[in-house]
Amino acid sequence: MHEGKAILLVDDEAIILMALKAELRDALGSGYRYETALSAEDALELIKELDAEGFRVVVVISDWLMPGMKGDEFLARVHRQDPGIALIMLTGQADEAAIARVREEAKILACVRKPWRSSELISLIRSAVAPRG
Amino acid sequence: MRVPKRPTVSGALGLLALAVALTGILVYATSLTILARSAEARVVEDAERLTEAVARTVDSVLTRPLASLQTLGAAQELHGNGRAGFGVLVEATLAGESLFRSIVVLDAAGVVRLSLPEEGFFVGADLSESAAIREARESGRFAWSRVYASLADGGRELSLVVPTKLGYVVGNLDFEILADTITRSIEVEKADVIVVDAGGTFVVHPDRAKVLSREGDPDFIGERVKAPLAERHLYRKRVGGASKLVIAERIPKTGWFILVEREANFSAEALRSSLLAVSGVAVLLVLLASSLAALTARRLILDVRRAVDYASFAISADEAAESPAPPPQLRYRETFAVLEAALEAVTRIRTRDEANRRLREALDELKLTQGALVESEKLALLGTLAANLAHELNTPLGAASAAASVLGRIEEAALRRRLEAETRAEAEGLGLVPIAEAALFYDPISTASPGRRTEIRSIAESLARAESLLAGMAGAGPESGHCPETGFERSSELRDLADRLHDLGLRGCDEGLARALLVAERAGRLGPFMDSAQALVQTRMLRIALERASMVVGAIRSYARIDPGETVRPVELAESLRAALALLYATMKRGVAVRVEAEEGVFVLGREDRLAQVWTNIVVNALDAMDYRGELVIRSGRAGPDRAWVEIEDSGPGIPPELRAEIWRPFFTTKPRGRGTGLGLSIVKKLIDESGGSVDYSSEPGRTVFRVELPLVGGTPEASDA
């Protein structure tokens, strides 16, 4: 079974998801599947579904402030399930405690503030996926 | 103070009991004494009579003796039972003639006997009886069953009085010759006791140190008399369980006493036990009286204590405490008139303290007001900052919106041209039109919805089917019933295409569109077309995002209220509510589920900024009450032809009944200092009142609903443009 690679975007704001998706697809091309989820709960489900379909999530970009499970808890869980996934947290709010926690527990690659700079985000992702080839 | 007017019942009862007891004892004791005295008096009378009688007898005996006795010598008497007695031989002579001879014996028991020849036998003595005495005795005229005798001078002298029917025979006999013998054989202290009569009368010699019992009666428990007897001596003796009164009365002209015994009419024991009983009752009554007195005293003491406690508490109490407790109820006003005055003085002091406390409270409130003023100044400053922020943002937003608009029109035109080119190129019609339409009406929210994966899959499947159909037409015929399987890579490519199409807004793909897409793809026209469509989609995203930013800026402006041009005009309720919420979404996301059920097209008359403040204040209060966790529902609609209503419901713990009237008061707040001025709801009330509306709430734990009603107006579309 060929294993495809997927990039997962999680945010409760649809416009962020679609904007991010368009930007990443534009920059990184069709080599990846770009999947979106409107909540952390949906995202966790989606990771399982993708795995069943033969797709491996290589990068997760998640917002912090969402109704229900917050981003820090979500990323910590993902990290526990699969430490190999590169994790990036996007946030428009400065909750210091949450950021510290997620750095500690989820070993995130970076915490990027909204509004993000495209070039910064793209190079982060490239560096995240490149070594693995 | 409420007190009983009568003196204490218990105290009165106590005193009464005491008086009764004492009186009773007195009366009883007096009557007993009187009775006892009268009984004694009777006995004394008896004794006197007897004494008189005996005195007369003795007198007559002593003055007219019949014969005299003379001592002849010592003698010894022997009895048949072996007992021996020492005595003196005596002879009684009458007119020179010998009457009889006898031995007078004082035996060991202290009994004087005259021994006559027939009673025993004598040794060494010749006793004979005169013929006259013998004759008198035989004829029954002479008998001596009783002898009166007294022993004096340490046993040396015996006086005898022998009654005979002929008269008394008296003699002082010299026992000296027997003295030594006698003292050796008997106890000198034993008195001789003579029976006067069978009723229990005795005669005792005064020299005796004590009164002896009659023949050693073991029941006799009389007194010991140390000193020689006085003229009369009264004492009691118990004989066989019964009590007797005894009087010892001196017989005149002799040294003898007569003892008169009588039954005590008033027994000493009865007297004692009845006295005991009475004393017992008296003691009980005294105890009762004293306990009642003690009770009264205790109550008095308690009163004093209560009064003193109140006083000291009231004086030293914390002035910040609540209003003073009322003075305690005391029982005895009469007794505590002074304390009452003292309590009043204390109350006056307390009232003064109370006044001080109120002054302090007023001062605190002033400080709070000052604090609130400072905070409202801050708010005013914040308003200015916000207004500046809004203005600063409006400039770039305005420019960006214009640019996005222009860009949008350019891209739209470009897409149309491509579409025209496409339709010219593709004879089968406007196959790609759906894509252009989708792009024109692109909406990111529906594109990102959870159902997207299913939609994408069905688009991909549709494409795959179209592909195999096209392949079938080119190669293997449909009659073979077998379609070539799409390779994995191609399948993946189709999936990716479906995703990209979905991202452009396409929700579904029918046969015709699928075919058109594949044809265009093969011709190399699909790529550029989709790029144009994407450019249009992005400009739409731009406009959507800019609109949202503008709305937020508008909401800030509304709330900040620095807009001199703001006038009263029709405002759409639903939009006004949404604008107010716009600034709060981020905070609410932390744990509040928001629902807005606002009827569209409902207009009220008012100033936008004022209305924004009203909704914001109520909502922030609701959020605070819920501690930003729970459910917030906002509804609005029409109520009748001229009234519009808005309801803001929260799932917080509610407003407790005791605070219900307070919440509208300026500066009233249950929040800690620094968090909220307490002005929010008072402002709301003021603004709504000014707008001719009403605001009220209902509250129970878990559900609080604030309801605002405002006059309804007909709205005009242009006036509602914010």
Side-chain angles (χ1 to χ4, degrees):
Chain A
M1 181 114 173
H2 300 253
E3 196 173 73
K5 286 185 277 211
I7 296 177
L8 178 59
L9 310 170
V10 188
D11 198 310
D12 63 313
E13 293 272 19
I15 55 171
I16 295 289
L17 283 178
M18 301 319 293
L20 249 183
K21 182 174 175 182
E23 201 168 41
L24 294 183
R25 187 197 280 276
D26 195 55
L28 302 169
S30 303
Y32 302 93
R33 221 15 143 101
Y34 301 91
E35 293 286 348
T36 60
L38 284 163
S39 72
E41 290 84 357
D42 284 350
L44 289 167
E45 268 300 306
L46 191 49
I47 293 174
K48 288 197 195 111
E49 280 176 29
L50 287 168
D51 188 53
E53 288 170 23
F55 279 86
R56 193 169 163 270
V57 175
V58 293
V59 181
V60 174
I61 303 173
S62 172
D63 184 26
W64 174 65
L65 184 60
M66 298 185 278
M69 198 190 307
K70 303 284 175 284
D72 56 344
E73 195 188 327
F74 165 62
L75 289 174
R77 279 208 205 187
V78 173
H79 185 70
R80 267 199 301 277
Q81 282 170 13
D82 187 350
I85 306 178
L87 306 172
I88 296 169
M89 191 156 90
L90 256 184
T91 176
Q93 310 252 318
D95 194 289
E96 302 295 342
I99 294 170
R101 177 190 163 175
V102 84
R103 278 196 210 280
E104 177 60 39
E105 288 180 29
K107 304 283 188 283
I108 55 170
L109 199 61
C111 183
V112 180
R113 292 247 193 267
K114 288 182 195 168
W116 63 92
R117 289 224 299 271
S118 315
S119 48
E120 190 188 321
L121 190 64
I122 304 289
S123 55
L124 255 177
I125 297 171
R126 276 200 224 273
S127 69
V129 298
R132 293 170 188 78
Chain B
M1 288 180 276
R2 189 179 53 84
V3 294
K5 292 217 168 61
R6 282 177 304 225
T8 163
V9 174
S10 56
L13 274 176
L15 283 169
L16 187 65
L18 193 60
V20 165
L22 289 170
T23 313
I25 294 168
L26 265 165
V27 166
Y28 192 66
T30 315
S31 44
L32 279 181
T33 316
I34 292 170
L35 284 168
R37 286 275 154 80
S38 60
E40 279 173 25
R42 275 201 298 279
V43 174
V44 167
E45 251 183 66
D46 263 356
E48 279 174 350
R49 260 187 294 111
L50 274 170
T51 311
E52 222 179 313
V54 171
R56 276 200 301 274
T57 309
V58 168
D59 205 38
S60 72
V61 163
L62 291 174
T63 50
R64 288 183 290 116
L66 177 66
S68 58
L69 284 172
Q70 275 138 24
T71 313
L72 295 179
Q76 191 182 28
E77 166 198 56
L78 278 177
H79 289 270
N81 56 11
R83 271 201 349 220
F86 290 95
V88 292
L89 186 65
V90 299
E91 184 180 39
T93 56
L94 180 65
E97 198 187 322
S98 169
L99 274 180
F100 62 85
R101 278 190 186 177
S102 174
I103 291 182
V104 177
V105 172
L106 184 64
D107 69 11
V111 177
V112 175
R113 285 187 294 108
L114 248 62
S115 295
L116 293 174
E118 62 261 38
E119 284 179 8
F121 59 91
F122 300 96
V123 176
D126 180 18
L127 289 174
S128 62
E129 201 178 45
S130 75
I133 296 294
R134 201 178 299 117
E135 190 192 310
R137 204 155 45 79
E138 282 166 357
S139 67
R141 283 180 297 138
F142 186 82
W144 44 52
S145 58
R146 299 171 198 166
V147 172
Y148 298 87
S150 83
L151 200 59
D153 197 18
R156 289 178 177 80
E157 196 180 83
L158 179 73
S159 308
L160 266 184
V161 177
V162 183
T164 70
K165 285 197 172 159
L166 299 175
Y168 288 96
V169 176
V170 175
N172 288 324
L173 309 171
D174 184 8
F175 259 40
E176 193 168 339
I177 52 176
L178 291 176
D180 290 331
T181 322
I182 289 169
T183 54
R184 268 201 298 266
S185 68
I186 65 165
E187 294 168 25
V188 176
E189 63 204 273
K190 272 198 183 352
D192 46 332
V193 176
I194 298 169
V195 176
V196 173
D197 66 38
T201 308
F202 307 91
V203 179
V204 177
H205 193 276
D207 284 348
R208 294 297 170 236
K210 66 176 180 194
V211 174
L212 293 181
S213 68
R214 174 166 49 100
E215 293 171 353
D217 182 354
D219 292 329
F220 189 88
I221 53 162
E223 297 172 38
R224 269 174 203 261
V225 180
K226 298 289 182 197
L229 290 175
E231 290 297 314
R232 175 186 294 163
H233 188 74
L234 184 67
Y235 64 97
R236 281 172 185 64
K237 102 178 186 183
R238 187 195 297 278
V239 175
S243 210
K244 291 197 184 194
L245 199 60
V246 182
I247 306 238
E249 189 85 35
R250 185 192 283 276
I251 300 171
K253 288 189 192 163
T254 69
W256 297 353
F257 273 82
I258 177 168
L259 271 65
V260 180
E261 247 185 39
R262 288 287 176 273
E263 294 289 330
N265 283 351
F266 234 94
S267 108
E269 270 62 42
L271 187 66
R272 222 175 294 142
S273 50
S274 56
L275 263 177
L276 260 167
V278 169
S279 323
V281 169
V283 164
L284 276 170
L285 285 170
V286 168
L287 279 172
L288 176 69
S290 38
S291 52
L292 286 168
L295 185 69
T296 310
R298 207 183 106 79
R299 285 207 184 118
L300 298 179
I301 290 168
L302 270 177
D303 266 0
V304 173
R305 196 173 295 149
R306 248 183 258 136
V308 169
D309 279 348
Y310 175 75
S312 49
F313 161 74
I315 288 168
S316 65
D318 180 6
E319 286 159 271
E322 317 223 332
S323 51
Q329 285 183 10
L330 300 182
R331 277 186 98 88
Y332 308 119
R333 171 180 284 177
E334 293 82 9
T335 320
F336 290 98
V338 173
L339 260 180
E340 205 177 353
L343 279 174
E344 272 172 33
V346 166
T347 313
R348 276 201 298 278
I349 293 171
R350 199 78 187 83
T351 315
R352 195 188 59 212
D353 287 349
E354 183 64 21
N356 281 347
R357 187 176 66 81
R358 294 232 178 87
L359 278 172
R360 214 155 307 190
E361 267 176 24
L363 189 64
D364 283 339
E365 217 172 298
L366 277 171
K367 284 193 188 147
L368 255 174
T369 313
Q370 191 186 38
L373 281 171
V374 167
E375 287 211 35
S376 61
E377 261 189 64
K378 277 197 217 161
L379 279 172
L381 188 62
L382 199 64
T384 314
L385 287 173
N388 279 311
L389 175 78
H391 185 259
E392 289 303 321
L393 282 172
N394 275 343
T395 311
L397 279 175
S401 294
S405 188
V406 169
L407 196 59
R409 279 200 287 279
I410 293 171
E411 292 303 329
E412 203 183 306
L415 187 62
R416 282 196 204 283
R417 281 197 295 276
R418 270 206 197 276
L419 193 61
E420 281 163 21
E422 203 51 44
T423 56
R424 280 197 298 274
E426 175 55 57
E428 300 203 341
L430 310 165
L432 295 178
V433 165
I435 297 179
E437 279 172 356
L440 275 168
F441 299 105
Y442 176 78
D443 165 40
I445 291 172
S446 57
T447 305
S449 75
R452 53 180 293 280
R453 303 195 81 228
T454 318
E455 287 165 1
I456 293 171
R457 201 171 297 140
S458 83
I459 295 172
E461 279 164 10
S462 185
L463 288 170
R465 271 198 302 276
E467 175 124 306
S468 43
L469 275 173
L470 281 173
M473 289 199 311
E479 66 272 9
S480 71
H482 159 82
C483 303
E485 247 183 63
T486 322
F488 179 75
E489 240 187 71
R490 181 59 184 159
S491 184
S492 191
E493 267 174 28
L494 287 178
R495 182 32 176 87
D496 188 57
L497 176 62
D499 191 16
R500 281 186 291 135
L501 287 166
H502 192 271
D503 277 354
L504 291 173
L506 202 68
R507 291 288 162 268
C509 180
D510 66 12
E511 236 185 77
L513 177 61
R515 222 165 57 92
L517 284 165
L518 292 170
V519 166
E521 192 196 19
R522 287 185 188 182
R525 295 196 303 273
L526 186 59
F529 189 82
M530 281 177 70
D531 284 343
S532 288
Q534 172 73 308
L536 189 59
V537 161
Q538 291 305 309
T539 58
R540 266 205 64 72
M541 285 275 278
L542 206 54
R543 292 178 77 176
I544 289 167
L546 286 168
E547 265 168 33
R548 205 164 127 177
S550 298
M551 188 187 74
V552 170
V553 172
I556 295 176
R557 246 179 49 211
S558 287
Y559 191 73
R561 224 183 142 193
I562 311 284
D563 220 348
E566 202 52 76
T567 53
V568 170
R569 52 201 174 91
V571 176
E572 205 213 349
L573 266 184
E575 249 190 66
S576 178
L577 289 165
R578 276 192 290 265
L581 284 176
L583 294 174
L584 296 166
Y585 277 131
T587 347
M588 290 196 285
K589 252 205 267 188
R590 288 174 192 262
V592 181
V594 187
R595 222 167 57 234
V596 178
E597 295 164 5
E599 199 180 312
E600 307 287 331
V602 179
F603 288 83
V604 296
L605 208 60
R607 273 175 61 164
E608 254 190 63
D609 52 353
R610 288 222 168 112
L611 285 171
Q613 253 202 313
V614 166
W615 315 135
T616 309
N617 283 1
I618 298 175
V619 168
V620 167
N621 254 314
L623 291 174
D624 264 338
M626 290 196 285
D627 201 23
Y628 293 85
R629 225 156 263 290
E631 254 193 37
L632 182 76
V633 186
I634 297 173
R635 305 182 191 87
S636 74
R638 272 177 253 261
D642 54 358
R643 219 99 168 116
W645 59 271
V646 174
E647 275 185 0
I648 295 169
E649 178 183 330
D650 73 77
S651 61
I655 300 162
E658 57 269 20
L659 297 178
R660 297 257 158 106
E662 303 281 333
I663 62 166
W664 303 114
R665 206 157 52 85
F667 304 117
F668 173 84
T669 177
T670 56
K671 301 176 199 167
R673 227 174 249 187
R675 264 200 80 193
T677 55
L679 287 167
L681 286 178
S682 67
I683 289 176
V684 162
K685 194 152 179 66
K686 178 167 163 289
L687 291 176
I688 295 297
D689 283 345
E690 277 173 12
S691 307
S694 67
V695 58
D696 203 354
Y697 67 93
S698 69
S699 176
E700 61 194 23
R703 188 170 180 272
T704 304
V705 182
F706 271 80
R707 187 178 167 96
V708 175
E709 286 192 11
L710 290 163
L712 191 64
V713 288
T716 45
E718 52 279 12
S720 71
D721 232 349

